[in-house]
Amino acid sequence: TALAQACLVFVNEILDGAELTVIAMGKFGGREISYGADLDVLFIGSDDRQPQSLLSALAQPSPAGNLPRVDARLRPEGEKGPLTCSLETYRQYYAGRAQAWELQALTRARPITGPLANNFMEIARDVWLNAGKEVDLFRKIDNMLQRIRRERGSGSDFLDFKTGSGGSVEAEFLVQALQMRGGIFEPNWRRAIDRLHEAGVLSESDVVRLKRSYAFLRRCESVLRRYDNRAVATLPADVMEQRNFARRMDGQTIEAFTEEYLAARSTIHQIYEERIRCG
């Protein structure tokens, strides 16, 4: 994450982009990106030309390799909206037309560079805190999780280590829901659950089990992604490929891997059910 951020900031400086404000989102905002990851960002300013120049420059291949891809689709109106928006546009959008998932996504907003970064973060925290007070917050977040499962799943819950039951997305939604309810703003997942523990929201046992289980699923993702340096959300479907993958996971047998994998997902799902479905 630090290297990717340095590349983005350096290219922006070369292009004289001092007036462009950049906010990191998603795992980029949480300082948690892995191999083959896009950099989710928001641009704040008054001129689309500067971010367009930045995106174009970052996309250029070079003999030394490629710079990280940048994804700005989390902006107001998504791909249909302007690439850059003013602070007032963000304020009005989040207050009136933003969907629940867009407000939840602000959990991972983190300023990168630019003169309006602090102003944006004030707006983001205010609307995020207000969203966390909604009575049906947990129901909305659970509905979003189920929708992701339907739309992005492969059809095999076992293979879907990200979107499946007890997958890494469920672990992330669990923590974000508890953060929003408790007003604990922290983009990084591991630091967030530490703060939830300090606030008495999560027990020490839950924190230990969640960290261990989530780390295992993230390691699965990392091992799969670094093979081709591209985004992967499912385990291999072929049995032989699964065995090869298990060996890459610290030389495990497929049986040992499967046992640990299912235990990790079961742990996450159990805590999610207790805290979100029954909370």
Side-chain angles (χ1 to χ4, degrees), residues 65-83:
N66 299 326
L67 292 172
R69 297 181 298 272
V70 175
D71 188 340
R73 289 177 294 177
L74 289 176
R75 64 187 184 271
E77 315 296 352
E79 291 179 299
K80 298 178 181 178
L83 193 56

Side-chain angles (χ1 to χ4, degrees), residues 121-139:
M121 292 304 299
E122 289 179 7
I123 294 171
R125 286 193 181 96
D126 285 345
V127 297
W128 182 85
L129 287 169
N130 287 333
K133 297 174 184 176
E134 295 184 9
V135 176
D136 59 348
L137 171 70
F138 286 0
R139 180 186 62 80

Side-chain angles (χ1 to χ4, degrees), residues 193-194 197 202-212:
I193 61 172
D194 285 337
H197 173 53
L202 286 174
S203 68
E204 183 174 354
S205 173
D206 284 346
V207 169
V208 171
R209 292 189 300 146
L210 277 172
K211 282 185 176 181
R212 181 174 61 243

